[in-house]
Every structure is written in C-alpha cells, then in structure tokens.
Amino acid sequence: MPNDTSNTKNNINTYHRADAPKHPVPLHLQEFSLKLRGKSLFSGLNLNINPGEITTLMGPSGCGKSSLLAAISGTLSSEFFVSGIICLGDFDLTILPPEQRHIGMLFQEDLLFPHMSVGENLSFGIPFSVKGKKARAELINQALEDAGLSGFANRDPATLSGGQRARIAVLRTLLSQPSALLLDEPFSKLDVELRERFRAFVFRHAKAHQLPTLLVTHDPDDAQSTGGRVLKMSDLNN
Amino acid sequence: MRDQAHTKQSLNHGRTTGFLWSDALGWLFSLRSMPVLTLLAFLGPVLAGLISTLLPAFGYLPVIGGEELSFKPWAELFSHPALPQALFNTLTSGLAATVISLILAIGFVSAWQGTKSFQRVRTILAPILAIPHSALAIGLAFLIAPSGWIARLVSPWATGWETPPDVAIIHDPNGLSLILGLVIKETPYLLLMMIAALDQNEANQRLCLARTLGYKPVAAWIKAVLPVIYRQIRLPIFAVLAFSLSVVDVALILGPTAPPTLSILVLRWFYDPDLSYRTLAAAGAVLQLLVVIGSISMWRLGEVVLSNISKQWLVNGRRDLFEGLVSALSKWVMKLIITAFFGSFAVILVWSFTRRWRYPDALPSVWSTQSWGSNLYNLFWSGGTTLAVGLASSVIAIALVVACLENEKRRGKTAGTGALWLLYLPLMIPQVSFLFGVQIVTIRLGIDSSWLSMIWSHLLFVLPYVFLSLSDPYRCQDDRYVGIALSLGASPARAFWRVRLPMLLRPLLFALAVGFAVSVAQYLPTLFAGGGRFSTLTTEAVNMAASGNRRVVGVYALLQALLPLLAFSAALGLPAFIFRNRRSLRGI
C-alpha cells in the first residue's frame, strides 16, 4: 500500500488503558531461566529493552526462542519450568496471568480469529474501558485507515491477502494498548518485497507507540533492518 | 513452580493444616475436578452394576430370600437345556459378524483407497452409522423376509409364489440374518475407524512408497499400511466383537428364537414373572461377560499368532495379493451393503404410509397416513421422551467432555491410552451384564424409573462416543489463538467462550449429533432404567417388531431413523449457515 511508509505521526492512539503506565517504561528480564523436563533451554538471561527500542534475538529454529517469548507473555505450557523476574518499569509481571500483562504478541501466522470479521477482530483487542459502539468503531476505522485498509471492517479475514491479514494482526495488537511487543518471526512467511514493507510498518508502529520490542528471528536481514541491538541465542546459553 | 512461589506460600502460612471444606468445595467446582467427576459419573454405575449382578449370580438376592452365597444359580445355568445351543448361536453370530465386517472393511480400503469410489463410499457411510441398529434391522427384516419386499418384487413372475413360502429367513436357527444385520452396520463403522487411523499415520506416503517398489494396491496396503494402523483400530474391533456377541435389539428382531442367543435368553429370565429366575439370569449375565472377555482374549491371541506367522510372509517379496478378486468382490459387497441400507430405509418408509399391500404386489394398492394418525398420541410421547433424553444426555456429555479437555489444555497434560481403555469399557462390557445391577442400585437409591436414571444410563454410552469424536479436534486446536486472546487482555473465560468454543463449533455440534444418535438407539438402558414407565421410539419399535403390524412398526422405525439423520443434517448445516461469511470455517 502506498501510504505504508509515508506518514509516521498519524497513528498515536487517542486513548489510554486505565491500568497502563502513564509513561512508556522499559521491559526488563532478570536472571531469567527456562527448563523443559530437566533440560535447560537457557539460564541467567538479563535483558533490558527501552521504550521504542527493538532488540533482536537470533538463533536457529528449535532453540527455545518461541518458548522465551511465550514465557514473557505468560502463555507458556506448564510443562516448562520458569525462574527469574519479568518487569515493566518497576512493575513485576512474573506471576501475573497473561491477560494482566498486556504484552502484545505477533507470530509467523497472523492468527486472526476466523469466526470474526476484520472489525470484530480489532474490536476484540480494544479494551473494555472504551465504551460505546461509536467510540469503538471510530478507533477501528482510524486504525484501518492508517494501515491503508479503509472499509475493510466487515470483510471476512479469509478473503484478505497475506499482507493485509498481517497488518490487521498488528493493528489488533496495537489497539489492545500493549506495554511491550514480542515478535516471533512475523516476517518469515511473507515474500521478499512484501516483507520489507511490512517490517517497516511494524517497526514504525512499535517506535511510535514507544514499545519496548523483542524480535526473535533466524534471518540476519530482519535483525539488520531493526537498527538496534542484536543478540545471539548461542551467547545466552552457558 | 516459579521462584515467586514463596510469596504464595507465605500467604498460606496463617492457615491451619487440617481438612478445609472450602478447599474441598473449591476443588469440586473447579475444572481440575472434572476428569475425576466424569470418571466417577461414568465408571461408578458400571462397577456398581457389575457387582450387583455378580452377587445374585452367586445366590445373594435378599428380595427373594437368597442371603447366602452359593453356586446353585450356576448349576441351574449349566443344566439348562437351552444353554449349549444359545452359547453356540452367540459365539458363531458374534465372531462371524466381526470377522466378516473386518475382512470386508480391509478388503475395500486396500483395493480402493485413493480412488473416486472410495471418496463416494466415505460420504455414504455417515448416514449408515447415524441410523440406529434396530431401525436398520427392522428395515432389513421387511426386505428379506419370505413376505418381504424382495420376494414381492420377484413374485410371482420369477418364483411362482402366490403366498409367502414357509421358510425361516428372519429368525433363522443359524443366525444368518442376524449376522447380515450386524455386518451391514459394523462394516461402515470399522471402515470409518480405519479411515481415521489412515489420516493420522501418513498412510498415503507409505502406500505410495510400496507402490513405487512395485507392489500392487492390495498387497501394498496389507503389507505396508495394515500392520501400522492395526494398533489403532484394535479397540474399535474389540468394541464390535463385544457388541456383536451381546447385542439385544438386533437379536430380538433378526436373531434365532428357539433357542435364541445368550443375551436374549438372559433377558427372558430377567423378565420372567417367577422371581426365582432372577439368580439364574444373573448367572447368565455373568457368563455373557465371560464370553466377551474370553472372545477378546482369543482374538488377542489370534493377533499374536497371526503376526508371528505373517512376519516371513510380509517380506517374501510377493507383490500381488488376489488383486482382481479382492477389488471386484469388495466393490460388489460394498454396493450390496449400501443397497441393503437404502432398501431398508425405503421399505420402512413405504410401509408407514401403507393401507393395503397384498402379497405378492410390488407396491401397496392403497396408501394412507392412517398409521401415523392413529398413533399420534403415543408417537408424541415416545418421540418426546426420545428427544428429551437424547438432548439431555448428549448436552451433559458435551459439557463433561469439554470440561475434561479444557482441563487438559490448561494443565498441559494429555490423558494417556489408559484413559482410552476406561472410555471403551462400557462399550465392551455387555449391557445385560451390568444394567440389571444398575437397576438394583437405582431401586436401592430410590431413583429407579426416573428421568435421572434414564438420562444417566444413556450418558454411560453417549459419553464415550462424544469423547471419541471431540477429543481430536479439541486437542489439535492451535492454542496460540487463545494465547493471543489472553495477550490482548481477554480473561480466560472470555477467551474460552469467545475464541475457543466458536472456533470449535463444527466439531462440537458434530459430537452433539453423535451423542444424540447413540442415545436414540439405546434399547436395553431405556428398558432397565425406565422400568416400564418410559418408552422411546426405539423401545416401541423393537417391542412391536414381533407383532407383525408392519404399518405401525414402520412408522416408529422411520421416526427412529429420521431423528439422528436430522441431528446430523443440523450439525452440518448450522455451522455452514452461521459461518456463511467466514470462508475458513464454512466447511462444506
């Protein structure tokens, strides 16, 4: 879409989640370890990601990158043994259930709910505190317009192109007013041209929302494009 | 779990260490208790029923003065003149039906997997499974009896019969029509179970590989695929074997009568006005269970022997296996089964609207809706009971199964194969062997002949099928959808109701239809738990089948067949309608 990369300032949301921190805060992991059936995936991880900063974690598939993100978001299966502390600013998230962490996730697949329309998917993300059909619809339309998808609210997600679906998934996450963003190889399924544009779209929004962002990938190209810090998974295992 | 656990511990510190009712109640109403509660609701009655059958079998039945344990019922049983022949009838019909169904299913899959006719047969199978055994048996009886439709169609021009010939086709002493009735119903069941197993085992790749090595279709399938999937179809085979050995309703309609099969003999003794027959019946019921256990053990032994013998044969390099014969024969037999199925359905439809149908006319000479009209009141009540019990038991089953599966998801553990065996237990224990005991228990508890006992006894048979049909789709659902919903700030309950369940609407409705169809088909549980106060379409149809009034029997059998068919149509049509604007969920 032509206006994907043009305007960078039109997308600051005009509302705030009641329980969200007043100012953007960093995401902080301290002495973070993950074990599966006695086998250590990594241990003693210390990581600080500032608001608007995009940190990349690189490693081959199957090395526990996705599990790390699931652990941070709180959706990890109980088979895993997690220790360490996750903080947003001064706020300790470690024992909170996922729905109280407000950490946005994006996967390789868009995972749009297939039983909802595009608009319903976005509305699912908007906090309950935004009352009234009109106010919610306004947010949805504003978000769609920003992504160059005006008028898509009533569409069936299954009828959209891969790039369109990916952008809707990003919008859904952003509308939920997350305090941090985790990206689990969200670019790897898109073709090269689309990938670059979509990457720019995601990074632009992450920075505009001042979100501490952690990207895991096995593609050096992805890592380079963030312009931020790049860590290697192999350096974390000790 | 996490090292923050110490904060939780310190919170708990002020509590006393004794038993806390609030904790116990909290557990009882939590998701974690569901597997235990489900198993109790499910295995409790089966075990209680077995014990309450076992005791009278050894003479303990205080109601009729039997307060001491003895072997008298067994001595009576073994000296009963009808027993040897009944036992023989049971074993021959049960084993023959199972072996024939299995061979047909294997023959058909091996010769036709991957072809167009395979796909066609696959879609026709579902309605055959939906229709109750007894409705099909009634239709078959109307079809093949000497006075049945087939005889009418070919008489008198081909046979010269002006009156029905005096041969016993239905209720034949060798149980051939019983075997036929069972085969028509069990072959599709085994076929579907095989297809499900094939989908899980990359069977197509194996098959292709064997074909590229030069193996012809049947040989390739039997040598490269069957040994792998057999483990998965073993439980369904055992269920078929147990069912065929102990079936009651089909045996009442089609089976031999003098003497009948063991299960019918036991049923007659249970219902003998002379109460002293009860201990004999209980002993017979236990013998029925032993027959099933013995047959399953023998089958297992046969498997071991066969797999040892065939080890050499599997690798002898021979690449064809009666290819032409198997493919031609299996195709024709499958056509015959499907024709018999549709013929049965058509003949009950025709009879239900018949006023006058003289032998040997091919069709009725006078049609009317009189059989419907004059039975309206009773149809309404037995139909209403069928509907109510079917809906209640299948909805309860869905709720329990979903709770168990959701508990699995949240705790990250999947029940093992042990649980699968427990699930199959009520399907493998003969109904006569524990339902009589269940009846004694319900009388003791004062809940006999009530809606509660009716619904509960149906639940015992509905629950396993609902679980079997729902567990795979539920377990396979991508948990990241729920994870995303939680990350977006939705509560677990909201994620469950708004994301998990709607996405599973299709398998949920299908499982509901399966449960409903199973409930509609139940004969013996209704008889025992209903205590004569309740009648369903199935009990009415089976009880009247012997009456000879084909018009009325046709009405009941037709309704009995239509209800599950409607349920399945709704289960397929509803999601297609609800998701008409959601391409990835529309299905059809």
Side-chain angles (χ1 to χ4, degrees):
Chain A
M1 295 294 130
N3 56 347
D4 259 15
T5 46
S6 53
N7 197 339
T8 48
K9 276 200 155 178
N10 63 351
N11 55 329
I12 310 292
N13 282 312
T14 50
Y15 73 98
H16 279 284
R17 211 178 65 234
D19 55 342
K22 289 276 175 288
H23 307 286
V25 290
L27 175 70
H28 187 66
L29 301 184
Q30 193 184 318
E31 286 299 315
F32 206 73
S33 304
L34 202 57
K35 269 189 210 164
L36 179 60
R37 290 181 219 101
K39 188 186 162 245
S40 172
L41 292 172
F42 52 82
S43 60
L45 174 61
N46 290 299
L47 192 59
N48 190 67
I49 308 175
N50 285 321
E53 185 191 351
I54 301 169
T55 298
T56 308
L57 192 57
M58 294 220 12
S61 44
C63 69
K65 290 177 304 192
S66 296
S67 306
L68 171 66
L69 295 195
I72 297 174
S73 68
T75 54
L76 192 63
S77 150
S78 56
E79 286 171 289
F80 288 87
F81 185 90
V82 187
S83 69
I85 292 175
I86 311 165
C87 288
L88 270 170
D90 301 330
F91 189 54
D92 186 353
L93 297 179
T94 320
I95 58 166
L96 287 183
E99 67 271 21
Q100 291 172 27
R101 296 191 184 200
H102 300 289
I103 293 185
M105 288 270 272
L106 288 174
F107 295 95
Q108 208 176 87
E109 295 84 13
D110 51 77
L111 299 179
L112 293 178
F113 302 131
H115 57 298
M116 300 182 187
S117 68
V118 167
E120 286 164 345
N121 263 286
L122 296 179
S123 186
F124 193 92
I126 300 174
F128 187 59
S129 55
V130 181
K131 305 273 187 198
K133 246 187 178 166
K134 223 181 125 193
R136 297 175 76 85
E138 222 163 85
L139 279 177
I140 292 169
N141 291 333
Q142 187 189 324
L144 284 173
E145 202 175 315
D146 168 53
L149 295 168
S150 302
F152 275 61
N154 287 323
R155 291 279 294 270
D156 173 7
T159 62
L160 269 52
S161 73
Q164 290 169 332
R165 293 169 56 105
R167 268 179 287 157
I168 302 289
V170 176
L171 298 179
R172 181 175 66 176
T173 304
L174 292 175
L175 282 173
S176 77
Q177 282 275 301
S179 303
L181 192 57
L182 305 178
L183 307 173
D184 190 353
E185 307 209 21
F187 315 120
S188 59
K189 271 209 171 160
L190 304 172
D191 60 57
V192 182
E193 195 193 348
L194 197 58
R195 174 191 290 196
E196 255 166 56
R197 263 192 305 178
F198 181 59
R199 222 159 33 193
F201 178 81
V202 174
F203 294 161
R204 169 163 64 87
H205 281 80
K207 284 179 179 152
H209 284 75
Q210 286 288 295
L211 294 173
T213 301
L214 179 59
L215 165 71
V216 301
T217 182
H218 64 263
D219 182 357
D221 218 35
D222 283 350
Q224 216 178 14
S225 66
T226 63
R229 212 166 10 143
V230 180
L231 304 169
K232 289 226 163 65
M233 199 72 183
S234 49
D235 302 336
L236 302 176
N237 289 320
N238 34 34
Chain B
M1 279 296 298
R2 307 192 163 131
D3 60 359
Q4 266 67 23
H6 63 265
T7 46
K8 276 190 189 165
Q9 256 172 20
S10 57
L11 281 176
N12 285 343
H13 202 65
R15 285 189 185 175
T16 51
T17 46
F19 180 79
L20 280 177
W21 277 107
S22 58
D23 280 0
L25 277 178
W27 177 83
L28 197 62
F29 289 106
S30 73
L31 212 52
R32 302 181 72 129
S33 68
M34 291 322 288
V36 179
L37 287 186
T38 305
L39 273 184
L40 277 180
F42 174 64
L43 292 180
V46 177
L47 286 180
L50 272 180
I51 292 168
S52 304
T53 308
L54 215 53
L55 288 175
F58 289 94
Y60 183 83
L61 193 62
V63 203
I64 58 161
E67 306 214 320
E68 274 170 28
L69 295 183
S70 76
F71 283 97
K72 219 176 117 237
W74 289 94
E76 271 177 58
L77 177 66
F78 286 119
S79 59
H80 198 283
L83 185 76
Q85 186 62 38
L87 210 53
F88 180 77
N89 287 346
T90 299
L91 284 169
T92 48
S93 60
L95 285 171
T98 311
V99 171
I100 293 172
S101 307
L102 184 61
I103 290 177
L104 284 179
I106 290 177
F108 186 75
V109 180
S110 65
W112 298 96
Q113 189 188 348
T115 64
K116 274 220 178 90
S117 38
F118 190 71
Q119 285 310 320
R120 237 192 336 265
V121 165
R122 202 175 163 162
T123 49
I124 300 176
L125 290 181
I128 302 191
L129 285 179
I131 290 185
H133 278 87
S134 43
L136 202 64
I138 288 170
L140 190 67
F142 288 3
L143 215 53
I144 62 171
S147 59
W149 208 7
I150 295 175
R152 288 171 197 244
L153 286 175
V154 296
S155 300
W157 53 271
T159 57
W161 296 334
E162 293 291 345
T163 53
D166 189 20
V167 286
I169 294 180
I170 303 303
H171 304 302
D172 64 300
N174 295 317
L176 293 181
S177 56
L178 172 59
I179 295 172
L180 180 64
L182 287 170
V183 166
I184 290 180
K185 195 64 183 150
E186 301 307 336
T187 309
Y189 172 71
L190 287 177
L191 255 175
L192 270 193
M193 292 293 123
M194 273 183 208
I195 290 172
L198 288 177
D199 290 342
Q200 290 172 14
N201 279 300
E202 295 161 346
N204 260 327
Q205 284 103 302
R206 284 170 180 282
L207 198 65
C208 290
L209 187 80
R211 296 287 291 278
T212 59
L213 291 174
Y215 283 80
K216 296 246 173 73
V218 176
W221 199 88
I222 288 181
K223 289 187 170 182
V225 177
L226 182 61
V228 189
I229 65 157
Y230 186 81
R231 265 161 44 91
Q232 262 168 298
I233 56 168
R234 177 181 288 139
L235 271 174
I237 291 174
F238 287 173
V240 168
L241 182 59
F243 180 85
S244 307
L245 285 166
S246 53
V247 63
V248 169
D249 47 9
V250 182
L252 279 174
I253 298 163
L254 296 173
T257 48
T261 55
L262 182 58
S263 58
I264 305 298
L265 201 56
V266 170
L267 193 65
R268 278 190 201 159
W269 291 336
F270 273 135
Y271 277 98
D272 200 291
D274 182 354
L275 286 182
S276 65
Y277 270 89
R278 289 294 171 90
T279 53
L280 176 65
V286 174
L287 180 64
Q288 175 75 59
L289 176 62
L290 293 177
V291 165
V292 168
I293 294 175
S295 304
I296 289 180
S297 312
M298 288 304 292
W299 189 282
R300 188 80 189 85
L301 199 70
E303 282 175 14
V304 175
V305 172
L306 213 63
S307 81
N308 273 325
I309 293 176
S310 63
K311 259 191 192 126
Q312 196 57 46
W313 174 81
L314 277 181
V315 294
N316 67 359
R318 193 159 166 194
R319 279 155 165 76
D320 60 317
L321 199 66
F322 311 109
E323 302 288 332
L325 183 73
V326 173
S327 62
L329 208 61
S330 63
K331 186 169 190 172
W332 281 107
V333 173
M334 202 53 66
K335 276 190 173 162
L336 213 61
I337 286 181
I338 291 169
T339 312
F341 166 76
F342 282 109
S344 304
F345 195 74
V347 76
I348 51 179
L349 178 71
V350 170
W351 267 112
S352 77
F353 287 104
T354 292
R355 176 79 177 274
R356 202 175 146 79
W357 190 353
R358 243 189 336 223
Y359 194 87
D361 294 351
L363 280 172
S365 52
V366 186
W367 300 78
S368 90
T369 54
Q370 191 193 356
S371 314
W372 293 83
S374 56
N375 287 291
L376 222 49
Y377 179 77
N378 195 21
L379 277 175
F380 180 75
W381 279 111
S382 52
T385 309
T386 308
L387 211 60
V389 175
L391 281 177
S393 56
S394 49
V395 167
I396 293 172
I398 288 275
L400 288 173
V401 168
V402 166
C404 288
L405 290 169
E406 182 62 18
N407 179 59
E408 265 187 8
K409 284 269 190 197
R410 295 198 186 173
R411 299 186 65 188
K413 283 178 191 140
T414 308
T417 39
L420 205 60
W421 276 90
L422 284 181
L423 266 177
Y424 264 97
L425 213 55
L427 307 183
M428 289 201 268
I429 299 178
Q431 292 192 342
V432 282
S433 304
F434 74 98
L435 283 177
F436 168 64
V438 167
Q439 194 185 25
I440 293 181
V441 175
T442 55
I443 291 174
R444 183 89 44 87
L445 295 174
I447 55 165
D448 58 307
S449 328
S450 65
W451 285 102
L452 178 66
S453 64
M454 274 283 277
I455 291 168
W456 201 336
S457 66
H458 277 229
L459 189 62
L460 298 182
F461 306 97
V462 169
L463 197 65
Y465 284 107
V466 168
F467 190 91
L468 291 173
S469 109
L470 194 56
S471 56
D472 274 345
Y474 207 100
R475 285 172 176 158
C476 290
Q477 196 192 28
D478 190 341
D479 288 329
R480 289 179 307 170
Y481 284 105
V482 169
I484 284 267
L486 295 174
S487 296
L488 292 173
S491 67
R494 188 172 151 81
F496 174 74
W497 290 105
R498 291 286 311 278
V499 175
R500 168 93 74 210
L501 289 192
M503 285 181 67
L504 287 169
L505 184 68
R506 175 179 297 278
L508 279 169
L509 287 179
F510 193 79
L512 197 69
V514 169
F516 182 74
V518 170
S519 167
V520 170
Q522 295 306 318
Y523 173 71
L524 214 51
T526 314
L527 213 58
F528 275 135
R533 268 192 58 213
F534 292 91
S535 62
T536 60
L537 294 172
T538 297
T539 55
E540 294 289 68
V542 175
N543 291 343
M544 275 189 281
S547 74
N549 188 344
R550 289 186 175 165
R551 296 171 194 82
V552 181
V553 177
V555 168
Y556 281 96
L558 186 65
L559 263 188
Q560 192 200 356
L562 278 181
L563 277 185
L565 281 182
L566 285 177
F568 275 102
S569 319
L572 294 177
L574 222 53
F577 175 73
I578 292 172
F579 294 135
R580 63 193 177 284
N581 296 323
R582 299 285 174 266
R583 202 172 61 191
S584 54
L585 293 173
R586 201 159 48 207
I588 302 171

